[in-house]
Amino acid sequence: MTDAIEYSGLSKTYGRGKDALTAVRPTTLSVPWGQVIGLLGPNGAGKTTIIKMTAGLITATAGGVRIGGHDIRRDRAEAVRLIGAVLEGSRNVYWPMSAWENLMYFGRLKGLRGAEIRPRAQWLLAELGLWERRHQLVGGFSRGMQQKVAVAAALITDPQILLLDEPTLGLDVEAARTFKDWIARLARDEGKTIVLTTHQLQVAQELSDRIAVIREGEIIADLPTAELLARHAENRFEVRLDAPLDGLRASIPDGATVSEDGIETRIVLPDADTRALYGFLDRLSDTGAPLTAVAKAQPSLEEIFIRLVHDELDEERTS
Amino acid sequence: MTSRFLIPIGNEVRKGLRFAWSERLQILIELPMFGVFILLLGPLLGAGGNIVSGQVEWTLESETTSIMLVWFLPFVFFYMQVVKMFWRLLAEIQSGTIEQVYLSPLPSWLVVAAGRVVAALIETAFVAAGTFVIVAPFVDVHIVWNTAALIPALLIMLAAIGVSLIIAGATLVWKRIQLVNDFVLTMVMLFSASAIPLIVVPGWWATVGHFFPLTDGVGSLYRTLFTDQSVTDPWGQGGFVWLMTVSLGYLAAGIAAFGLGERIAKRRGTLGRY
Ligand SMILES: Nc1ncnc2c1ncn2[C@@H]1O[C@H](COP(=O)(O)OP(=O)(O)OP(=O)(O)O)[C@@H](O)[C@H]1O
Ligand SMILES: [Mg+2]
């Protein structure tokens, strides 16, 4: 069976000549059905460009995109039927129309009948907690509610593939969490294929089966989430103290990294040497320092991300 | 297959009407102007000599006013289709919804044009009725309906859709082009006037006029409704073939121009950018 999304040598250069800007370097990558892939990268990395090329809204400079085997340019009608998208920015739906009208409109846009759309619209609106306000104009909704309508509109045809470009942007903590849980359920229970971009790495880590890190148009890492975390897991120890470092400085082993915020101090030992750890703990015990935790250091996706993006930069500078 | 096709088209028509309804106030404001326009311009036309000699007689003549309507209503439709489609498209670009609309399986030119044309027809009918109500107390409007007039009417519509798509294609690339838009509108109006026997225009004006979208359609409407020429007689000023050629030519050019504008916007990545 073909994959849900196939990029073959996909690249994008905006403009020509002196002003040319390469936003996406040749990328070949396949997303199997049912996978959630997180596209991570700093501002201007090329994430939105990739998403829009996937939806056929931006023409690739070279290479191509296949959606369920359909070429997005030659076979656009078939390809777009498989896609639902929440694009970057806040205006994916019509503000002068109600939530209900929006859902009916976007359903019919893709050729569904009113009778087919209604039950699904009902379910989606109820699910997202918008049922009571379905007849109010979207323009009067809060940012989070508008975003929910955008997601519902993207899902109204029950597409197998979802493109979500920073879907939690501007949502408050609670709305972002509801949203995240909801996307997780769509992936788990309905087997949706999802391409997700976000700057909230926690969201990416929780939702994605796979993470691709993109920097200056180039994919610099592409791994299953667990593997990415495992590969960067450090076999090192971290010691936390509930006190400033002041008098303890002398007892810290060479090469340890220390971070303090005035209240808590974190000391990461340079290697996985347990003897060094015990020695250090002994010295701490002598000074009576208030120990709060000793653990294996586990970098978050955020730390890995920053390291990936910067390491690449450093390598480039030295080469 | 047909429903896959008809549902999205009906959908756009519905949306077009929805937005037309929300802008209904604007038409109400425009309406008296349309009426006054006819009332004021009517007596002046065909009275050029009198104006020059400074003796305008403010009489409204039934024949002149009726003929003016035949020139004026196609123009109103043209305005509703071309100008309002431009503003609607610009609003979609500004709001970013255009990108979602582009995820429709239908060709985008069809989506964009369908969204406007029925609304434009209804608005034109409304303006026609309104103008009649305003003008009727002053002058007897007398037009003998002839079904054959539907043919030039349809061709006028196709030409107007064509022009609206040309403007729309340019809008996708250059966005705020309302000045061009207004200019086109004025030119179309001025040159189509050569099709009715109210003002005497110089020969070059009439010649150039043939290349404008409404001229021969209006000429043909006039002949069908005001003279006893039949459907089979050569229509318009350059004949029926010319009328067909110009109208379908504008439609084809519109579809091509829209496609071109769309390709440029997609290449530049500026479809939803303002
Ligand atoms: N239409 C355009 N014309 C010219 N350059 C563009 C266009 N769109 C994007 N770019 C440039 O291409 C690069 C990639 O932009 P893109 O929007 O894809 O990044 P992104 O990863 O989505 O960033 P962000 O996290 O800020 O959303 C940037 O340098 C941007 O300035
Ligand atoms: Mg982006």
Side-chain angles (χ1 to χ4, degrees):
Chain A
M1 200 171 77
T2 53
D3 283 323
I5 305 174
E6 292 164 289
Y7 301 119
S8 49
L10 185 74
S11 73
K12 179 68 193 176
T13 300
Y14 290 110
R16 279 195 198 137
K18 200 159 54 64
D19 299 325
L21 187 148
T22 299
V24 177
R25 289 168 207 285
T27 299
T28 298
L29 181 158
S30 290
V31 184
W33 293 101
Q35 188 174 67
V36 180
I37 179 168
L39 281 185
L40 306 185
N43 291 129
K47 304 178 295 294
T48 298
T49 305
I50 291 182
I51 295 265
K52 288 194 177 172
M53 286 195 288
T54 313
L57 297 169
I58 290 181
T59 312
T61 305
V65 179
R66 282 173 170 274
I67 306 290
H70 304 288
D71 187 282
I72 191 71
R73 288 181 76 180
R74 276 189 293 281
D75 220 358
R76 200 186 69 93
E78 288 307 314
V80 294
R81 277 202 182 87
L82 296 170
I83 300 179
V86 175
L87 299 168
E88 195 173 42
S90 59
R91 314 246 347 219
N92 283 279
V93 290
Y94 291 95
W95 285 15
M97 303 205 291
S98 71
W100 182 260
E101 284 176 308
N102 265 295
L103 295 193
M104 294 307 285
Y105 171 79
F106 284 110
R108 289 189 177 117
L109 182 72
K110 304 230 172 152
L112 296 193
R113 292 167 203 282
E116 295 171 288
I117 306 168
R118 258 172 238 118
R120 192 158 168 87
Q122 242 164 46
W123 178 74
L124 283 167
L125 289 171
E127 194 73 13
L128 289 167
L130 288 171
W131 180 249
E132 301 296 318
R133 304 184 63 172
R134 66 190 178 281
H135 293 309
Q136 295 175 14
L137 299 189
V138 174
F141 283 2
S142 72
R143 173 82 183 84
M145 290 164 70
Q146 286 170 345
Q147 194 68 350
K148 285 180 180 176
V149 178
V151 177
L155 284 167
I156 191 69
T157 58
D158 199 10
Q160 272 311 299
I161 300 173
L162 267 180
L163 308 177
L164 304 173
D165 198 355
E166 297 190 40
T168 51
L169 186 73
L171 299 193
D172 66 28
V173 177
E174 168 125 24
R177 167 175 294 166
T178 318
F179 189 84
K180 196 178 62 191
D181 293 346
W182 211 67
I183 299 295
R185 262 184 46 203
L186 282 174
R188 195 181 57 227
D189 302 345
E190 303 194 25
K192 301 283 184 216
T193 307
I194 301 177
V195 182
L196 169 86
T197 83
T198 177
H199 290 291
Q200 287 159 300
L201 298 174
Q202 191 60 33
V203 171
Q205 181 170 350
E206 281 176 47
L207 289 178
S208 315
D209 303 316
R210 168 182 177 187
I211 283 180
V213 178
I214 170 168
R215 193 183 65 82
E216 289 179 11
E218 196 163 357
I219 307 252
I220 55 176
D222 175 13
L223 289 169
T225 312
E227 201 179 319
L228 185 72
L229 291 171
R231 209 176 264 195
H232 290 265
E234 295 157 339
N235 208 8
R236 292 191 290 175
F237 294 104
E238 180 185 272
V239 176
R240 291 180 185 225
L241 301 173
D242 200 7
L245 202 56
D246 303 339
L248 303 169
R249 216 168 278 277
S251 43
I252 290 176
D254 286 343
T257 54
V258 180
S259 53
E260 28 178 357
D261 57 10
I263 304 164
E264 197 188 50
T265 306
R266 292 172 57 187
I267 303 133
V268 178
L269 301 190
D271 48 44
D273 183 354
T274 36
R275 260 180 313 163
L277 175 68
Y278 286 133
F280 179 47
L281 290 177
D282 278 342
R283 271 168 283 157
L284 286 183
S285 143
D286 292 344
T287 58
L291 192 65
T292 52
V294 178
K296 272 274 176 68
Q298 180 60 267
S300 64
L301 182 58
E302 185 162 333
E303 284 163 312
I304 297 174
F305 173 77
I306 289 174
R307 213 174 293 161
L308 273 172
V309 170
H310 285 271
D311 283 358
E312 280 276 322
L313 275 175
D314 294 343
E315 268 168 38
E316 237 163 58
R317 271 190 208 110
T318 50
S319 69
Chain B
M1 191 59 224
T2 34
S3 74
R4 269 192 169 187
F5 203 64
L6 289 178
I7 290 173
I9 291 186
N11 195 37
E12 290 309 313
V13 168
R14 196 187 325 236
K15 181 177 83 181
L17 293 174
R18 173 90 174 58
F19 281 110
W21 179 246
S22 64
E23 288 156 12
R24 61 193 177 278
L25 204 62
Q26 199 193 336
I27 294 190
L28 279 182
I29 293 167
E30 287 164 351
L31 188 59
M33 293 198 302
F34 288 139
V36 168
F37 178 77
I38 291 281
L39 284 175
L40 289 183
L41 205 60
L44 298 179
L45 291 177
N50 296 354
I51 296 172
V52 173
S53 60
Q55 8 165 293
V56 182
E57 241 181 284
W58 215 258
T59 53
L60 281 161
E61 209 214 314
S62 167
E63 171 89 356
T64 312
T65 309
S66 306
I67 292 177
M68 267 202 73
L69 280 176
V70 165
W71 168 48
F72 174 71
L73 287 178
F75 179 74
V76 169
F77 176 79
F78 188 82
Y79 169 83
M80 297 297 180
Q81 176 69 28
V82 176
V83 177
K84 300 221 164 170
M85 190 164 118
F86 161 75
W87 286 113
R88 194 60 237 145
L89 185 65
L90 207 58
E92 297 252 7
I93 292 172
Q94 262 175 317
S95 70
T97 46
I98 188 161
E99 293 187 316
Q100 290 290 345
V101 173
Y102 258 86
L103 296 180
S104 160
L106 285 190
S108 325
W109 68 266
L110 190 57
V111 170
V112 171
R116 191 59 216 155
V117 69
V118 176
L121 266 180
I122 293 178
E123 287 163 350
T124 307
F126 180 74
V127 170
T131 309
F132 183 79
V133 168
I134 295 174
V135 174
F138 300 95
V139 60
D140 180 30
V141 176
H142 187 71
I143 299 175
V144 185
W145 177 247
N146 178 352
T147 314
L150 283 179
I151 297 176
L154 181 74
L155 290 171
I156 285 172
M157 272 181 60
L158 294 183
I161 293 172
V163 176
S164 70
L165 284 171
I166 295 176
I167 298 276
T171 309
L172 289 178
V173 180
W174 293 293
K175 321 293 173 184
R176 302 197 68 101
I177 52 163
Q178 58 266 48
L179 283 182
V180 177
N181 209 355
D182 293 345
F183 177 71
V184 168
L185 203 72
T186 314
M187 295 309 272
V188 166
M189 181 164 185
L190 288 179
F191 279 98
S192 62
S194 62
I196 44 167
L198 290 181
I199 7 174
V200 184
V201 298
W204 65 264
W205 183 331
T207 311
V208 173
H210 282 305
F211 293 91
F212 277 80
L214 295 190
T215 316
D216 283 273
V218 169
S220 179
L221 265 188
Y222 165 73
R223 286 174 187 224
T224 321
L225 295 175
F226 289 91
T227 74
D228 38 16
Q229 295 184 19
S230 86
V231 197
T232 48
D233 285 337
W235 280 9
Q237 312 205 326
F240 187 56
V241 173
W242 180 250
L243 171 59
M244 288 274 284
T245 310
V246 169
S247 305
L248 296 179
Y250 270 103
L251 183 61
I255 294 171
F258 190 85
L260 183 65
E262 178 181 310
R263 273 198 299 282
I264 294 175
K266 281 187 176 183
R267 202 183 57 224
R268 293 187 184 165
T270 54
L271 203 54
R273 279 200 185 195
Y274 191 58

